Amino acid sequence: MLQTVWVSSPGSWNLRESEHHPKGKKRSWKCRFVRTIIQHPCRRHAPRRSGRARMLRKIQICLCFCFVSGILYEISLLSSCVFNYLPMPQHYLTPEQVLNLGKSIIFLETTERLKPPPLVSCSVESAARIYQDRPVILFLKGLANETALDLNTSYAAFSLLSSMKNVFIFPLQMETIFQETPLLQWYNQVIPEEEKNWVHVSSDASRLALIWKYGGIYMDTDVISIRPIPEESFLAAQKSRFSSNGIFGFPAHHKFIWDCMENFVLKYNGNIWGNQGPFLMTRMLKALCNLTDFEGTEDHSCHNISFLNPQRFYPIPYPAWSRYYQVWDKSPDFSHSYALHLWNFMNHNRKVVVAGSNTLAEKLYKAYCPSTYQDLIQNGKQDNFSDPEDAV
């Protein structure tokens, strides 16, 4: 664990010279210092030391250097820049500690399921590979209230993700997440058993609260990352003048997300699918910006929020979602895309990735989540669909 080193505030001392100033004033030297473990007088006025004293001083400096180096090393264990080089002590970290690192990639599972299918695994793995210097967090509602999923968990489906250095799996505790947000009052009043779209609505609320509190990027569990998103504050256009909430990113405490949470509560209607999701994002963006149609592959920008072209995440629109599970004569290179949304909510007939089928989805697995693909082959898993309730 990190250790705290107390330091005193800078002070000064005066050393008077034997000589006098030409005008009769005494000349004094001031030496600034910070007291840590060892105090040293200013070099300029230190008396000449014996050989033994100089040796002791060198030993003291070496010990101090080693002590400080140890502290810096432990701090580096919590630094996002070390993900590529050192294994993270995942089972010792709390969600707050990881989220406070900043720039997290956040996934949510709001069902009780504790066996994520290959598509969920692929989404998390691809993000972990693309964003190797950032924490990738999967929140699971069905996970017990322990700090984190142990690396030796009995849930075999998690072994692949838990072995990745920058992936963290935590329980989704909504009441904690909604603290100090406009959503807490709504959450305390709503009755989940009476909600028609509770899995979706609770996911819509949770992603807003997490991004508001900690910042970062939220992604649905059917989004495969293929290259880094260069924007910090962005919404993803599903089509012209219509925003998705399946992927978005903002710094912590961004006003747009706070306004979205307030509107979530003010305009709440759990009977209308998407009213607290993509329709919420769209109406809030329209209130802020004059939306126009996209032409070509350009992005739009308004009030420092980037409204990203549909090609960035939705190059295959939802009416054609099944094309991901078809064989292409020539596969697209998706050169204008940062990630691909596979429209799992539309997958009611449960199309799957079959090893050797040469479908577009299989090629994406091979390229962007190879460990998931190998696990799919080795375990004979051809059950790639998620519950349609999981992804919007």
Side-chain angles (χ1 to χ4, degrees):
M1 300 300 292
L2 296 181
Q3 303 180 31
T4 302
V5 179
W6 293 95
V7 298
S8 66
S9 59
S12 65
W13 56 30
N14 294 330
L15 296 178
R16 297 181 179 177
E17 289 185 327
S18 59
E19 300 177 4
H20 284 71
H21 192 274
K23 294 184 179 181
K25 297 179 180 178
K26 291 186 178 181
R27 180 182 299 170
S28 64
W29 298 97
K30 290 187 178 181
C31 177
R32 295 287 179 182
F33 73 97
V34 176
R35 185 184 302 120
T36 54
I37 297 174
I38 304 169
Q39 295 183 15
H40 301 292
C42 182
R43 278 179 177 267
R44 186 168 184 174
H45 306 284
R48 190 173 185 83
R49 294 178 175 82
S50 65
R52 183 179 179 182
R54 287 197 298 271
M55 180 61 71
L56 288 174
R57 184 172 181 277
K58 289 180 180 179
I59 293 173
Q60 289 175 332
I61 292 174
C62 289
L63 290 174
C64 186
F65 176 78
C66 292
F67 182 77
V68 173
S69 297
I71 293 175
L72 293 176
Y73 172 78
E74 293 212 16
I75 291 175
S76 73
L77 291 178
L78 291 179
S79 174
S80 59
C81 65
V82 83
F83 286 140
N84 292 329
Y85 309 102
L86 294 174
M88 294 295 294
Q90 294 166 315
H91 52 292
Y92 292 124
L93 298 176
T94 65
E96 290 75 19
Q97 287 174 319
V98 178
L99 287 163
N100 282 329
L101 294 174
K103 296 187 175 182
S104 299
I105 311 298
I106 297 173
F107 295 89
L108 297 174
E109 173 66 74
T110 50
T111 70
E112 297 292 336
R113 181 178 58 193
L114 283 173
K115 186 179 179 181
L119 181 54
V120 175
S121 177
C122 184
S123 297
V124 177
E125 180 189 346
S126 65
R129 291 181 181 275
I130 295 298
Y131 303 95
Q132 295 185 21
D133 61 340
R134 301 172 69 164
V136 177
I137 307 172
L138 173 61
F139 284 99
L140 300 172
K141 183 176 181 293
L143 191 62
N145 293 336
E146 58 241 17
T147 301
L149 198 68
D150 192 281
L151 295 178
N152 296 319
T153 176
S154 59
Y155 302 124
F158 293 136
S159 60
L160 185 155
L161 298 177
S162 297
S163 66
M164 303 191 75
K165 293 177 289 187
N166 59 332
V167 173
F168 301 83
I169 301 174
F170 292 119
L172 177 63
Q173 300 172 327
M174 293 185 190
E175 185 172 358
T176 300
I177 290 172
F178 296 146
Q179 292 293 329
E180 300 178 359
T181 76
L183 298 169
L184 182 61
Q185 182 180 1
W186 160 80
Y187 181 73
N188 288 335
Q189 294 175 349
V190 72
I191 302 175
E193 295 77 15
E194 298 179 2
E195 291 292 319
K196 178 181 177 181
N197 298 299
W198 179 247
V199 169
H200 296 290
V201 169
S202 60
S203 178
D204 293 335
S206 297
R207 68 189 72 175
L208 288 173
L210 285 167
I211 295 298
W212 155 255
K213 284 187 170 183
Y214 304 103
I217 296 175
Y218 167 81
M219 294 184 183
D220 276 348
T221 53
D222 56 349
V223 172
I224 298 178
S225 298
I226 62 177
R227 57 178 57 87
I229 301 169
E231 306 290 342
E232 184 178 20
S233 301
F234 72 90
L235 294 172
Q238 183 174 314
K239 59 182 180 179
S240 286
R241 309 188 191 200
F242 188 82
S243 177
S244 161
N245 77 327
I247 179 168
F248 61 94
F250 285 89
H253 301 155
H254 196 284
K255 185 178 184 302
F256 180 82
I257 298 298
W258 181 268
D259 292 343
C260 284
M261 291 190 293
E262 289 187 329
N263 191 271
F264 183 106
V265 177
L266 182 64
K267 301 288 186 179
Y268 183 74
N269 187 337
N271 293 322
I272 301 177
W273 183 91
N275 187 62
Q276 275 63 53
F279 293 109
L280 166 66
M281 292 294 201
T282 300
R283 64 177 176 261
M284 296 304 294
L285 188 61
K286 285 183 175 179
L288 190 65
C289 307
N290 180 25
L291 301 183
T292 58
D293 291 336
F294 289 95
E295 297 180 4
T297 58
E298 87 287 355
D299 299 320
H300 293 171
S301 181
C302 172
H303 290 273
N304 294 321
I305 298 174
S306 295
F307 191 38
L308 300 185
N309 193 288
Q311 288 294 315
R312 305 294 179 230
F313 308 104
Y314 303 101
I316 296 179
Y318 76 89
W321 68 270
S322 61
R323 298 199 68 190
Y324 281 114
Y325 299 93
Q326 296 174 0
V327 178
W328 291 52
D329 293 334
K330 182 180 179 181
S331 297
D333 61 7
F334 299 115
S335 58
H336 298 295
S337 301
Y338 303 134
L340 304 172
H341 195 291
L342 268 61
W343 301 108
N344 193 65
F345 179 72
M346 306 295 295
N347 195 3
H348 298 297
N349 58 355
R350 299 181 174 182
K351 290 185 180 294
V352 300
V353 168
V354 178
S357 62
N358 203 35
T359 61
L360 178 58
E362 184 193 14
K363 291 181 178 179
L364 294 173
Y365 273 45
K366 287 181 179 179
Y368 302 108
C369 54
S371 296
T372 297
Y373 183 69
Q374 289 300 317
D375 189 64
L376 185 74
I377 295 174
Q378 293 172 5
N379 294 285
K381 295 178 181 177
Q382 298 181 358
D383 180 12
N384 178 45
F385 63 88
S386 301
D387 188 326
E389 290 185 335
D390 295 342
V392 177

